[in-house]
Every structure is written in structure tokens, then in C-alpha cells.
Amino acid sequence: MPFSAVSPAFADESCIAWTDDFKNKPNLIVGKVEINAADVFDLNNPKESKTIHRVANNLHVSTKPVVIRRQLLFKEGEIFQPRKLSESERIVRSNRYIQDADIMPSELCGNRVNIQVNTTDKWTLSPGVSFSQSGGNSKTGFEIQEHNLLGSGKGLVVGYKSDEERDETFLSYTNSLFLGTRQKLYASVQDNSDGKGHEVDLSLPFFELDSRKAWGLSTSSLSEETSLYDKGDVSSKVSVKKSEHSAYWGWSDGLESDDTDTDDSAKNEVTRYKVGWKYTESDYKDYYSLTESYPWFEYEHDSESYTTRTNFKSMGEVEDITLGTNYTLGVGLLREEFGSTDNQLNLNASFEKGYEFENSLAFINMEANSYIGSGELEGDSLNLQAEWYLFDEHGSDIYLSGTFKYQSNLQPDEQLLLGGDTGLRAYPKGYESGDKSLVFTAEKRYHFDWYPLHLAKFGAAVFADVGSAWGDGKDLDVLADVGVGLRMIPTRSSITKAIHIDLAFPLNGDSDVDDVQLSVNTENSF
């Protein structure tokens, strides 16, 4: 019987440490892929080896390596493409249960490239009581969130919330690797004091830039009472029941690039197409009912251009920032013979672009939607936003933003509001309303080095807001405020929202506006 063996010493000698000089070597294939899923805290770090860190690690169930492996865009035996490592790194890092991910070649064995995948978990079980106050309105709640159930990547949230609008009991489940595939499943139910709701969404998204197909099925229903505001007070309530059902199919020729085997991602672009059908029923009690039933088509263009920073929208972790030119164009045809209330042509578009300079970032975002025809749906909406971040190496940054909104087809339960958590922080929620709004914000942001027990990062901000909502019978009345605030962002928890504590002072407005507005709430960013 033929027999051959390779000694361990010879095997070691046949592999050499990887250097970037090898990345353009021809005929390379992926070799062994080793996944190291680290715990929440590094006990070898003296600052993370206290009793609280050891207990947390012992209680935490680490992410299973198979969960990480299923998200990688490469596997053993495939052609080695360096750009797929960086894209896989962004995909893995986008999971809220992952603190950081580092994917790199480790060694070259002949023509086989061995790859090391290192990840660090976040603490994902978060029971607790919540309280927030903004614009004169308070919210309380209790919930239990688990975003990485038994290390499987699945999410489960159950809780209760109460505010001036309603009391809400809810349950939701998320599985981004449904049945061991890249399909996503989201399901939720809620039982509110003013109605009930549910949502189920099953989809195969364009998981990567080179994905060739996508599809989605969704159904949802919600009944509730929506408050309408006038000068910060609830003027009336509208009872509405909405249900929506949709399905779509998407396809693409994949990545368009002169050289996909390099890390020059600026050359990589993708064009995608989607077709689908959407059916929506909206019943506005004491007003009217609307039905939208229509086929639609969407064109999407994305380009792969990213940068990374810390202390951008969060603190204490690496953030992937999209800089590419990305836009969509869509059209839908509403016809009475399809079941729609009116005959309408629906046109929609979105655009986003990022710009990177030596020590700053700028972003432009646009969303537009138009119903062309006759009836209650006829009208337009537009949302424009520009942002600018100026970074300082000493942790003192400047943030500027301007946001313009316009909507001419507001439905009975809709308002375009300013005040409280919708802008102009020193004024009550819903203080101004109309069909147009414009807000400018300027912030001087401070990122502190204080990092107690390596659990949370702290910062502060000095800010000013200027803006107004007008139209739809409301006059233009420019308001302004200034204020100071503290920020706390948990760095080792899957609940990534920032806690804001702000004191805001109005500079004008009616005499019934308080001299100071205290708000305590959570936001998606610093």
C-alpha cells in the first residue's frame, strides 16, 4: 500500500509568515480559516481583570464560531481575494453583539493562504428599567434584551413602555442567519392601550456587494391613536389602523471592478434591480380610508468606499463609515383596477455620499417621494440633510448639520414637528408644526479619557439649535436655543445607544416656554 508522510518540522518550514507583498501573487487560494471568538473582557489586561469582569465573562455565552463562519465571504479552497476579507470584517463588525473584528492572512503555505479571524464579544443580556424625558414628556419602561441568545446570533426582546401616547407591551425575535442560511427573519407582536400590532419579515438581502439575488416577504398590522400637537400641547387624537403586505425579488450582475483581487475598493461598484408588489390599507377613523395596491420597480447603485474611525457616532469602538456614492430610483403604478383608491404614479429616490478630508468628514443625504395623480395621496415629500465633522486629535470635535423637510400630502395622523426630540431641544415636543421645517445644529463635542472599569465612555457637548416649522397655515417663526449636555455610551454592551443628559435654554419663543428644558433620553449617536 502506498504511504507518504510529512513531518511536523517540514510542515512548519513550508509555511511562512504573511506579508502584504504576497497579496498580488497569482493563483492563491484560501487555506485554513481559524476563528477565535474572544470573550467580553480581556482578563490578561489588568484594567479588565476585576471581579466584575470575571463574573461577566463566566456568565456570558460566547458567540459560536459557526455563527461567525457563516458570515464570511470566503471559505477554504476558493480563490483568495483580499477585498473579501475587509468586506467580511465590516459584515461581522456590524453585528450588535460584536465589539470588534479583525480578519487577516496569517501565513502562506505554498499557494494556500491561512486566515485568522479574531472577534471580541459584547455583553448582550440587558435587563433593566428605563426612564427618559424630553420636550416636557416622560417615558418609562422595563425590558429584557438578549441580542445573542446562547451565542447563536439570535435576538429576543420583551418589555413594557409607557409615555404620553400609550402603554405598550411588546415581544420581538430576530434571526439574521435563519435556518443556517443568510436569510433574515424578524417577528414582533405588541399589545398597546390603544390597539394591537404585529409584524413578520422574512428576506434574503443582498448580503454582500457581489450578491446576485435577493427576495423578501413581509406583513404587518397596527392599530393605534396618534396625538396631534399645537404649541407643545396635544390638540386632538386620530385613531388609525394600518396593514401592509409586500413581496419583492431582486437581482444583480454582481460586482463591477477592473480588479477584484486587490484592496482598491474605490473601483468596486454594483448595480441592483428589484421588482415587487405592495398592498397597504389605512383606515383613518372619522376621516377616510385609503388603499394602495401596486407593482413597483427599483434601480439601485452602490459603490464600495469606506473608512474607519473611533469617536465618530459612538465612542470606544471601531466604526465603519460609508463614503461611496449610493442612490436608488423607484417607480410604482397605482391603479383602481389593482385595488387602489386612486390612480397614482409613485416616484421615489434616495441619494447619499460621503467625503473624507485630512481631518474631517462630510455627508449629504436625500430622500424624495412623489405621488402624481388625483386624490388624498397626491403630493410630495422631501428630506435633505448635510453633516460635517471636524476631528481634533485631543478629543475636541466640531459637528455641524442642516436638515430640511417638506411634505405636501400629510395624512390625518401625520405632522411635521419641531421641538424636544425632533429638534430645537429647549422647546416642548410638537411646539411648531407645518409642512416645511429647517433646522441647523452646531455642537462642540468633548471625548473624555475617563473609562471606569472599561464599561462606558463619557463625553460632553455644548450646542446651539436654530430652526422653524411653517406652512400648512402656520407662519414662519424662527426659534433658537443653546445648551450643554453629558454623554455616556456603554462600550461593552449590545445596547449601543448613547445616553444624553441635556440642559437647553430657549433664546426666544412665547412666554409659556420654560426658561430651561431638562432632557434625559437615549439617541443613536453622540
Side-chain angles (χ1 to χ4, degrees):
M1 178 180 295
F3 175 80
S4 64
V6 179
S7 71
F10 182 82
D12 291 341
E13 291 175 359
S14 65
C15 296
I16 56 178
W18 175 268
T19 69
D20 284 342
D21 295 336
F22 298 143
K23 68 179 181 180
N24 294 323
K25 187 177 180 180
N27 303 320
L28 294 180
I29 61 175
V30 177
K32 179 181 177 182
V33 179
E34 183 178 352
I35 297 176
N36 298 312
D39 226 324
V40 180
F41 297 102
D42 179 9
L43 300 182
N44 293 320
N45 183 343
K47 295 183 179 180
E48 297 184 11
S49 60
K50 312 295 185 197
T51 300
I52 188 174
H53 303 124
R54 297 180 183 277
V55 171
N57 278 2
N58 289 334
L59 294 176
H60 174 71
V61 179
S62 297
T63 303
K64 297 176 181 178
V66 66
V67 174
I68 303 299
R69 192 177 297 275
R70 286 172 178 164
Q71 300 178 62
L72 303 179
L73 304 181
F74 54 87
K75 58 184 177 181
E76 187 173 347
E78 292 184 343
I79 296 175
F80 174 70
Q81 299 181 52
R83 64 155 300 278
K84 286 200 170 187
L85 273 64
S86 57
E87 188 176 358
S88 296
E89 194 172 88
R90 292 194 298 269
I91 291 172
V92 173
R93 197 154 46 211
S94 68
N95 294 294
R96 60 190 308 169
Y97 52 84
I98 296 296
Q99 165 73 14
D100 197 8
D102 189 15
I103 302 177
M104 71 190 95
S106 58
E107 55 186 4
L108 182 65
C109 304
N111 71 329
R112 303 179 72 88
V113 182
N114 293 340
I115 298 174
Q116 192 88 19
V117 180
N118 299 318
T119 65
T120 303
D121 275 3
K122 286 185 177 180
W123 178 263
T124 55
L125 177 61
S126 301
V129 177
S130 62
F131 169 81
S132 66
Q133 179 174 318
S134 180
N137 298 300
S138 62
K139 301 178 183 179
T140 58
F142 171 80
E143 61 185 16
I144 299 176
Q145 301 187 36
E146 173 53 74
H147 299 122
N148 193 10
L149 192 63
L150 299 177
S152 65
K154 302 178 180 67
L156 185 65
V157 179
V158 59
Y160 168 83
K161 292 181 181 179
S162 178
D163 57 24
E164 72 281 357
E165 295 281 346
R166 64 186 56 86
D167 298 331
E168 176 183 345
T169 304
F170 55 90
L171 171 68
S172 68
Y173 171 79
T174 306
N175 187 347
S176 59
L177 296 170
F178 184 56
L179 299 178
T181 69
R182 288 172 176 169
Q183 299 173 18
K184 291 188 176 183
L185 173 65
Y186 174 80
S188 69
V189 293
Q190 57 188 83
D191 186 4
N192 304 336
S193 58
D194 58 349
K196 300 178 184 295
H198 72 270
E199 180 179 356
V200 179
D201 190 315
L202 178 63
S203 65
L204 175 66
F206 287 113
F207 188 81
E208 60 173 308
L209 280 172
D210 202 35
S211 292
R212 305 306 172 95
K213 68 177 182 179
W215 54 263
L217 299 168
S218 66
T219 179
S220 64
S221 177
L222 179 63
S223 59
E224 62 181 2
E225 286 188 343
T226 301
S227 297
L228 302 181
Y229 289 84
D230 183 25
K231 286 295 183 180
D233 297 321
V234 176
S235 58
S236 61
K237 291 193 174 185
V238 177
S239 295
V240 58
K241 182 176 182 180
K242 294 184 179 181
S243 61
E244 182 177 305
H245 317 281
S246 66
Y248 77 86
W249 175 264
W251 70 95
S252 172
D253 291 333
L255 202 61
E256 303 166 9
S257 175
D258 294 333
D259 185 3
T260 58
D261 290 343
T262 72
D263 269 334
D264 188 8
S265 61
K267 297 180 180 180
N268 297 327
E269 298 181 341
V270 64
T271 300
R272 295 166 175 166
Y273 308 90
K274 291 180 183 178
V275 293
W277 195 286
K278 186 175 182 180
Y279 182 88
T280 302
E281 288 183 326
S282 303
D283 181 14
Y284 303 101
K285 188 178 179 180
D286 300 328
Y287 290 90
Y288 48 76
S289 297
L290 292 175
T291 300
E292 301 175 60
S293 179
Y294 59 97
W296 57 267
F297 171 80
E298 183 179 271
Y299 170 89
E300 177 184 343
H301 177 274
D302 292 328
S303 60
E304 184 184 28
S305 179
Y306 290 86
T307 188
T308 58
R309 287 197 70 93
T310 57
N311 295 342
F312 174 57
K313 291 190 175 182
S314 184
M315 288 190 290
E317 63 181 2
V318 176
E319 300 176 67
D320 295 296
I321 304 167
T322 303
L323 298 176
T325 302
N326 304 319
Y327 59 87
T328 64
L329 300 170
V331 58
L333 183 63
L334 287 73
R335 303 292 298 176
E336 292 180 3
E337 50 264 41
F338 297 156
S340 293
T341 303
D342 305 318
N343 293 326
Q344 301 274 350
L345 180 66
N346 176 234
L347 302 176
N348 59 82
S350 67
F351 174 86
E352 62 177 22
K353 179 72 175 80
Y355 303 88
E356 184 174 25
F357 307 101
E358 182 178 357
N359 60 344
S360 66
L361 292 171
F363 302 91
I364 297 175
N365 295 277
M366 182 275 291
E367 292 181 358
N369 191 41
S370 180
Y371 284 89
I372 303 173
S374 60
E376 299 295 343
L377 287 169
E378 180 186 4
D380 311 296
S381 65
L382 177 65
N383 190 336
L384 293 172
Q385 184 179 45
E387 297 178 290
W388 183 61
Y389 298 79
L390 177 62
F391 302 103
D392 182 271
E393 61 181 7
H394 302 296
S396 174
D397 304 334
I398 294 176
Y399 169 75
L400 302 175
S401 74
T403 303
F404 172 77
K405 295 181 180 181
Y406 167 72
Q407 188 167 352
S408 64
N409 60 344
L410 292 165
Q411 298 305 317
D413 65 331
E414 295 178 329
Q415 281 186 298
L416 207 165
L417 300 172
L418 279 183
D421 55 5
T422 57
L424 296 175
R425 284 166 275 193
Y427 297 87
K429 178 179 179 180
Y431 187 73
E432 285 197 335
S433 64
D435 59 16
K436 294 176 278 291
S437 70
L438 179 62
V439 180
F440 294 100
T441 292
E443 291 190 358
K444 180 68 171 178
R445 297 176 170 181
Y446 302 91
H447 303 275
F448 303 146
D449 292 332
W450 189 43
Y451 196 8
L453 295 175
H454 280 204
L455 296 176
K457 285 279 191 176
F458 291 82
V462 179
F463 60 84
D465 306 314
V466 178
S468 180
W470 72 98
D472 195 26
K474 305 293 178 63
D475 294 331
L476 176 65
D477 183 14
V478 178
L479 301 175
D481 64 47
V482 295
V484 295
L486 295 176
R487 306 288 182 261
M488 185 185 79
I489 300 180
T491 59
R492 302 305 176 95
S493 171
S494 58
I495 300 179
T496 55
K497 291 190 174 182
I499 299 174
H500 285 215
I501 303 175
D502 289 333
L503 284 175
F505 306 88
L507 300 182
N508 55 348
D510 294 340
S511 58
D512 58 348
V513 177
D514 293 338
D515 292 337
V516 60
Q517 188 75 245
L518 169 67
S519 65
V520 181
N521 53 33
T522 58
E523 301 287 348
N524 291 324
S525 64
F526 190 101

